[in-house]
Amino acid sequence: MIAAISFIIWTIGFSYIFLILRFHFSWMQMTDAKTISDQKMMVSIVVAIRNEALHIISLLSSIQKQTYQNFEIIVIDDHSTDSSYRLVQEFQKTNPDLDLKLYQLTESKFGKKEALLKAYSLAKGDIIICTDGDCIVSPEWIQIGISFFENKKVKMVCGGVKLEKTSTFLQQFQAMELMSLIGCGGASICMNQAIMSNGANLSFRKELIENTDRRVLQANTPSGDDLFLMQQCKKQFGEESIVFVKNKAHWVETKAEESWSHLIQQRLRWVSKSSFYKDRFLQLVSLLVLLVNLLSILLLILSIIDSYWISQLLYFWLLKMGTDFLFLKSIAKDSGQKKLLRYFPVVSLIYPFFIGYTAIAGQFVHFKWKDRNY
């Protein structure tokens, strides 16, 4: 019995290590070429907001400083209950030279996906760039991202996202998890097996959304606008139509969740879309990551019951943490987040419990997001 359990544990463990090493070497091989783009391509920046009064002006101000000038901004308000809409109106009036358009969803429509679909239908640009209301972008953000579209085969450009502030342990925990997700997404794109992107930094040709049935985007789910669009791009144009921008100046900064409760609610929202996953590689990666973290907990429990498992636990954790650290070190270096690595040991010990709970609870537990119950 013990031999069978050990065999299962180490088979899954080494499969995970092999996967992360593949991600690591793919990330290292990713080119960071940047070409000089002219101002010919019209760009539509779309932002869906709900209750972003504390952040939206910072975002708009950062977009206003872009080195690339041929763009419009479309802000769609999803029934905000704070002063978000009024603040954007005031910004619009005080910056008349900025091509900023502001709309509200009708009473019969609600949710981020409905807001984005409305923005897509209104966009005049050949290229659509998505970000979130709580983000800040660098002056070269558009310039760097749009340069990849000079290659006609490229239909989607994915970018990195990192936290603006990491002074508390909660923020550091979120920043490290987000860094690992961005890294896995970027590496999988480089492997021509794209599994995830982030809607806070996502660009695509308008022709992609024009030829996409809204049902493909799973408009009835509260998240996944980025992932389902990526899957459609793969299906319609092939794996090589998607690229990831590793350039540090293209990463956008966003805000951390303010409490563990808010963080768990956010993760439950993310997990809620997993039942709609159709990509086999995405399913495999998601399952393998979950199993490895659950096995970490199982080995801890077995070690308490029987001292035989203590050495197994130590070897398992050391191999897993060593592989994870190797991968995260590369991402941290390229994204300017090397200081986060000092918190890696503590985060690694806590993370199995966090992901174990959110992955399982996300399939059954109701959650609240932006003052809405799901």
Side-chain angles (χ1 to χ4, degrees), residues 15-243:
S15 297
Y16 173 84
I17 290 170
F18 175 74
L19 173 69
I20 299 303
L21 288 176
R22 277 195 69 194
F23 281 162
H24 168 68
F25 291 119
S26 294
W27 181 273
M28 295 293 290
Q29 292 170 1
M30 197 185 306
T31 59
D32 195 21
K34 175 189 170 186
T35 59
I36 303 299
S37 176
D38 56 31
Q39 302 277 330
K40 291 181 179 179
M41 284 186 278
M42 173 64 180
V43 173
S44 295
I45 302 171
V46 304
V47 187
I49 62 170
R50 176 173 168 80
N51 297 343
E52 295 290 358
L54 296 177
H55 313 124
I56 186 60
I57 300 305
S58 295
L59 169 65
L60 296 175
S61 297
S62 67
I63 294 175
Q64 194 175 25
K65 300 173 184 176
Q66 294 299 298
T67 56
Y68 192 93
Q69 294 296 312
N70 189 14
F71 68 87
E72 64 173 352
I73 308 172
I74 302 174
V75 177
I76 308 292
D77 181 68
D78 176 21
H79 308 289
S80 291
T81 57
D82 63 5
S83 58
S84 296
Y85 187 83
R86 178 179 57 80
L87 287 172
V88 178
Q89 275 186 320
E90 292 175 356
F91 188 87
Q92 193 178 36
K93 292 176 182 177
T94 55
N95 296 274
D97 295 333
L98 187 65
D99 189 358
L100 170 60
K101 303 174 180 68
L102 174 63
Y103 303 91
Q104 282 183 312
L105 285 179
T106 61
E107 291 184 6
S108 60
K109 303 289 185 180
F110 64 91
K112 182 180 180 181
K113 288 183 181 177
E114 291 290 353
L116 289 174
L117 287 169
K118 181 177 178 64
Y120 298 158
S121 68
L122 296 167
K124 296 179 181 177
D126 303 310
I127 306 298
I128 294 176
I129 303 181
C130 301
T131 191
D132 290 340
D134 60 350
C135 292
I136 295 176
V137 300
S138 76
E140 294 181 282
W141 177 56
I142 299 178
Q143 188 85 34
I144 295 171
I146 202 172
S147 66
F148 287 81
F149 287 108
E150 293 178 347
N151 180 348
K152 300 299 182 182
K153 293 181 180 179
V154 172
K155 307 298 181 181
M156 176 177 284
V157 175
C158 306
V161 182
K162 59 184 179 180
L163 294 191
E164 179 187 18
K165 187 178 180 182
T166 55
S167 57
T168 68
F169 178 72
L170 173 60
Q171 293 167 343
Q172 293 149 4
F173 180 91
Q174 294 177 67
M176 189 161 291
E177 185 197 25
L178 180 59
M179 183 168 66
S180 69
L181 292 173
I182 296 297
C184 290
S188 68
I189 291 171
C190 185
M191 292 162 52
N192 286 330
Q193 290 183 293
I195 58 172
M196 69 178 77
S197 56
N198 194 304
N201 195 1
L202 181 67
S203 311
F204 54 90
R205 295 188 190 273
K206 191 177 182 182
E207 64 181 286
L208 172 61
I209 199 67
E210 288 176 334
N211 298 321
T212 298
D213 189 324
R214 60 176 289 137
R215 289 175 296 182
V216 172
L217 303 180
Q218 305 292 344
N220 58 321
T221 61
S223 68
D225 48 279
D226 42 17
L227 173 62
F228 298 129
L229 188 60
M230 169 181 273
Q231 291 180 346
Q232 176 63 16
C233 188
K234 287 169 59 176
K235 180 180 178 181
Q236 190 172 334
F237 298 104
E239 295 278 4
E240 294 183 357
S241 66
I242 305 171
V243 298

